[in-house]
Amino acid sequence: MIRRWLRKVFRREDPAGGMPIDPETLGQMVRGILSTRPDEIGCDECFEQLDRFVELTLAGKDAAEAMPLVQDHLNRCHDCREEFEALLLALKAVA
Ligand SMILES: [Zn+2]
């Protein structure tokens, strides 16, 4: 669907003029639309909150409900999920 939309936009670059479209800018825009939602957090933010998330998990609390954005990120980001699991194991080991 996006691809069809792109083709449509590019085809609009007619010699008659109009707004010139920078393909690179357009690509970045589309990637942005595809990969983020307004309420999403990134790896940095996830990492900052991860220790608290792990603490809640270890305390037997519903960390996913308390910090849904972190849970959401962990569902999508393999790196952060590994980080989470490693942290969880480490804290369990010293608990
Ligand atoms: Zn991440």
Side-chain angles (χ1 to χ4, degrees):
M1 182 203 163
I2 291 284
R3 228 168 255 176
R4 202 177 300 161
W5 177 75
L6 271 181
R7 228 174 285 148
K8 209 168 122 189
V9 171
F10 279 120
R11 217 174 275 165
R12 217 188 287 156
E13 281 184 288
D14 56 343
M19 207 165 57
I21 298 162
D22 176 6
E24 206 173 311
T25 306
L26 193 63
Q28 277 169 4
M29 271 167 54
V30 172
R31 267 196 298 280
I33 293 165
L34 288 180
S35 63
T36 56
R37 298 201 312 258
D39 60 343
E40 236 168 52
I41 60 171
C43 291
D44 287 346
E45 243 175 299
C46 179
F47 192 75
E48 269 171 31
Q49 299 181 43
L50 200 57
D51 54 345
R52 194 170 128 68
F53 190 86
V54 171
E55 270 171 27
L56 285 172
T57 304
L58 284 175
K61 294 184 177 142
D62 195 343
E65 199 182 296
M67 306 172 77
L69 291 182
V70 174
Q71 180 63 55
D72 177 59
H73 186 86
L74 290 177
N75 288 342
R76 291 178 299 105
C77 181
H78 181 72
D79 288 348
C80 287
R81 198 163 57 239
E82 274 192 348
E83 196 71 43
F84 165 68
E85 276 160 17
L87 202 56
L88 194 61
L89 281 178
L91 284 178
K92 262 186 192 161
V94 297

